[in-house]
Amino acid sequence: MSEKLKVGILGGTGMVGQRFIALLENHPWFEVTSIAASPRSAGQTYEEAVQGRWKMDTPIPEAVRHIVVKNVNEIENTASEVDFVFSAVDMTKEEIRQIEEAYAKTETPVVSNNSAHRWTPDVPMVVPEINPHHMEVIRYQRQRLGTKRGFVAVKPNCSIQSYAPVLTAWKEFEPYEAVVSTYQAISGAGKTFADWPQMEGNIIPYIGGEEEKSEKEPLRIWGEIKDGVIEPAKGPLITSQCIRVPVLNGHTASVFVKFKKQQIQKEQLIEKLLSYSGVPQQLQLPSAPKQFIQYLQEDDRPQVALDVDYENGMGISVGRLREDTVYDWKFVGLSHNTVRGAAGGAVLCAELLKAQGYITKK
């Protein structure tokens, strides 16, 4: 019998659900034993359920091909067979909040890719290298839910991954204002070019809800636990524009920053990026990048085509750091939106939760 934790994937037939399944193939700690999706997929094998819409570059893992998909709404049916679940369901925010808490109340931890619980005050929203201590709010959440083992934890939006870690690495220089423009891949909308041919050779200067997330979610990550809830930080102030571009994977950010501390040298900023690491690196978690942030000296980097898969898609690439005539400094960041920014970030959160003792065998 495997000693790995048994994992269920809620919403396992969608693009992020597929990415979870691809990333968890041969995972040293976790094994996918249950997949749940909408009633229309229930009763089919996973291979049948995703036939003609498997979006990953790698084949469907053999271990999950013949798993019979469950109805995600039949909560006890899935929860009874797993130690915890990843959530990538496609529902309204209110429906997601309800179903994720319902799974948690069966004493099944939920690690969610969805945005529905990101502003629930006692739900941790974590980038494991930045705010692992926020998992401590789970004990207050369990009191509210009436659970001993169950809880909901979430990862933040994909659009912030290419710049929030950078601003965190520069915290001692006191960044207080940033202008961020993100250039976001179509997989962020769960699409490929086959699904969305209108995006070929096109740019759309609007992504619903993204600008608010890009401006506010970093503040929650930088916040602190007070009276059993996470209180967001007051700054730095971020203003953003989010643009959809004809790229399959990879969110790029162009960022201008003002610092309270002056006379900062470029070499100091680069050194802080290269030396920045966190608990995942200290614990050598299976999905943790060895080098979280890389700095590329070439004028034409980072590039999606060359750099999006850095550290298996779990690392952040930064380049074009230079002084600015209006702001103090500017740079370009790049992250993989469906790996670090979605399923991979959630897997790393689950590894952290296991290492911290929040996720155990039932």
Side-chain angles (χ1 to χ4, degrees):
M1 187 69 183
S2 171
E3 286 304 305
K4 293 182 181 182
L5 293 173
K6 295 178 179 178
V7 179
I9 312 292
L10 312 182
T13 57
M15 180 178 269
V16 175
Q18 293 178 23
R19 180 66 76 181
F20 273 122
I21 282 166
L23 288 173
L24 291 168
E25 184 178 19
N26 302 318
H27 192 281
W29 295 358
F30 306 145
E31 180 181 4
V32 177
T33 60
S34 186
I35 301 170
S38 66
R40 68 177 178 273
S41 296
Q44 302 179 71
T45 66
Y46 186 69
E47 187 172 31
E48 292 168 343
V50 298
Q51 187 172 13
R53 57 195 186 103
W54 178 253
K55 300 178 191 292
M56 301 297 105
D57 295 333
T58 52
I60 302 170
E62 284 299 324
V64 303
R65 283 180 183 272
H66 303 298
I67 290 177
V68 176
V69 177
K70 297 180 184 295
N71 181 344
V72 74
N73 299 306
E74 295 175 0
I75 293 164
E76 287 284 353
N77 193 18
T78 297
S80 63
E81 295 186 355
V82 298
D83 296 309
F84 76 100
V85 296
F86 288 110
S87 176
V89 291
D90 184 12
M91 300 175 173
T92 67
K93 286 193 177 184
E94 185 54 39
E95 289 171 333
I96 292 169
R97 278 192 286 269
Q98 289 176 3
I99 201 166
E100 289 182 349
E101 287 200 355
Y103 272 91
K105 287 176 180 177
T106 68
E107 301 294 359
T108 305
V110 178
V111 182
S112 180
N113 181 72
N114 296 304
S115 65
H117 271 299
R118 287 186 195 150
W119 288 93
T120 303
D122 59 10
V123 170
M125 180 175 73
V126 171
V127 175
E129 286 88 351
I130 298 176
N131 59 328
H133 59 289
H134 279 194
M135 297 303 191
E136 294 166 18
V137 82
I138 287 169
R139 67 189 178 97
Y140 300 102
Q141 184 194 147
R142 283 172 169 165
Q143 291 171 10
R144 175 174 63 85
L145 296 176
T147 60
K148 293 181 179 174
R149 193 176 176 282
F151 62 87
V152 180
V154 300
K155 52 143 289 298
N157 196 48
C158 52
S159 66
I160 76 169
Q161 309 285 336
S162 51
Y163 61 91
V166 177
L167 297 178
T168 306
W170 292 341
K171 187 176 180 180
E172 71 179 72
F173 303 120
E174 300 180 51
Y176 70 92
E177 190 175 298
V179 176
V180 178
S181 295
T182 58
Y183 303 89
Q184 300 187 203
I186 64 171
S187 58
K191 306 283 190 183
T192 65
F193 286 108
D195 306 322
W196 202 359
Q198 299 89 339
M199 275 306 301
E200 293 195 31
N202 192 22
I203 282 176
I204 298 176
Y206 173 72
I207 307 171
E210 285 293 294
E211 287 162 3
E212 182 182 14
K213 294 172 188 174
S214 299
E215 293 169 359
K216 302 300 184 189
E217 287 190 15
L219 300 178
R220 190 163 195 260
I221 289 168
W222 294 323
E224 292 298 334
I225 298 172
K226 292 184 180 177
D227 300 321
V229 299
I230 296 164
E231 189 172 295
K234 303 296 185 191
L237 178 69
I238 299 171
T239 183
S240 76
Q241 289 200 110
C242 298
I243 299 167
R244 189 73 73 192
V245 295
V247 165
L248 179 59
N249 294 310
H251 286 357
T252 299
S254 171
V255 185
F256 297 76
V257 190
K258 284 184 178 178
F259 294 100
K260 288 182 181 175
K261 290 199 174 174
Q262 293 298 302
Q263 277 138 14
I264 306 166
Q265 301 302 308
K266 181 176 179 178
E267 292 73 22
Q268 290 177 280
L269 293 169
I270 293 173
E271 191 278 326
K272 291 297 178 186
L273 298 180
L274 298 179
S275 63
Y276 187 83
S277 67
V279 170
Q281 286 70 38
Q282 294 164 17
L283 298 178
Q284 298 182 323
L285 299 179
S287 299
K290 287 184 174 58
Q291 179 72 39
F292 182 32
I293 305 173
Q294 70 167 341
Y295 185 78
L296 301 161
Q297 299 283 354
E298 299 91 333
D299 288 339
D300 61 354
R301 303 278 287 277
Q303 291 182 29
V304 168
L306 299 176
D307 304 310
V308 74
D309 291 320
Y310 169 63
E311 288 278 15
N312 298 313
M314 290 296 289
I316 312 301
S317 298
V318 177
R320 300 217 68 211
L321 176 63
R322 58 219 191 276
E323 289 190 77
D324 185 57
T325 53
V326 177
Y327 278 63
D328 294 326
W329 291 87
K330 53 191 170 186
F331 69 91
V332 174
L334 171 67
S335 60
H336 196 305
N337 56 294
T338 68
V339 182
R340 168 56 78 162
V347 170
L348 188 59
C349 281
E351 292 169 0
L352 175 65
L353 287 160
K354 178 185 182 297
Q356 293 174 327
Y358 291 102
I359 294 178
T360 56
K361 273 195 168 294
K362 276 186 175 173

